[in-house]
């Protein structure tokens, strides 16, 4: 007797939550920029993160937000959540096409 394996609902997939975290963070960052309210960050001058934020990459190429802290966080969230989410979505699509 063959039993059909129950499929997980779409929103319970791990890649959906990963992409959702990235989108939620971007909505929060947009709200910060629009309202002018910013978390109280310490000065990063002369430190490793300060040197990264002051690099030409963040000043010329990666300028989604006016605040360099948010640009750095966007890059971090993109690497930590968006890339694995996209890879998981592609794997899920390929897996469903094989079935």
């Amino acid at each position: 007797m063959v039993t059909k394996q129950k499929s997980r609902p779409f929103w319970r997939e791990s890649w959906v939550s990963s992409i959702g975290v990235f989108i939620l963070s971007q909505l929060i960052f947009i709200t910060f920029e629009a309202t002018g309210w910013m978390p109280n960050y310490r000065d990063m001058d002369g430190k490793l993160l300060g040197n990264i934020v002051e690099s030409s990459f963040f000043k010329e190429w990666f300028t989604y937000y006016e605040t360099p802290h948010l640009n750095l966080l966007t890059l971090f969230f993109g690497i930590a959540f968006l890339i694995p989410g996209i890879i998981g979505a592609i794997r899920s699509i390929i897996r469903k096409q094989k079935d």
Side-chain angles (χ1 to χ4, degrees):
M1 184 161 130
V2 177
T3 60
K4 186 175 181 181
Q5 183 181 10
K6 289 185 178 180
S7 63
R8 292 172 54 181
F10 173 75
W11 62 88
R12 302 278 294 209
E13 297 284 339
S14 63
W15 62 268
V16 173
S17 62
S18 183
I19 293 175
V21 167
F22 180 78
I23 292 172
L24 181 64
S25 70
Q26 294 308 301
L27 291 174
I28 291 170
F29 294 166
I30 290 169
T31 304
F32 285 169
E33 287 278 314
T35 61
W37 182 84
M38 293 299 296
N40 188 11
Y41 290 116
R42 295 182 183 180
D43 290 333
M44 291 190 193
D45 297 336
K47 296 185 174 70
L48 176 64
L49 293 178
N51 292 336
I52 293 171
V53 168
E54 295 298 323
S55 69
S56 63
F57 175 72
F58 278 101
K59 286 190 170 204
E60 297 172 9
W61 296 96
F62 199 81
T63 56
Y64 294 110
Y65 302 104
E66 293 176 10
T67 308
H69 299 88
L70 296 181
N71 290 329
L72 182 63
L73 287 172
T74 298
L75 181 66
F76 172 74
F77 283 141
I79 293 171
F81 296 112
L82 187 62
I83 292 174
I86 291 171
I87 291 171
I90 291 170
R91 285 182 180 171
S92 177
I93 291 169
I94 291 171
R95 189 178 336 117
K96 287 184 181 182
Q97 286 179 350
K98 285 184 180 179
D99 291 341

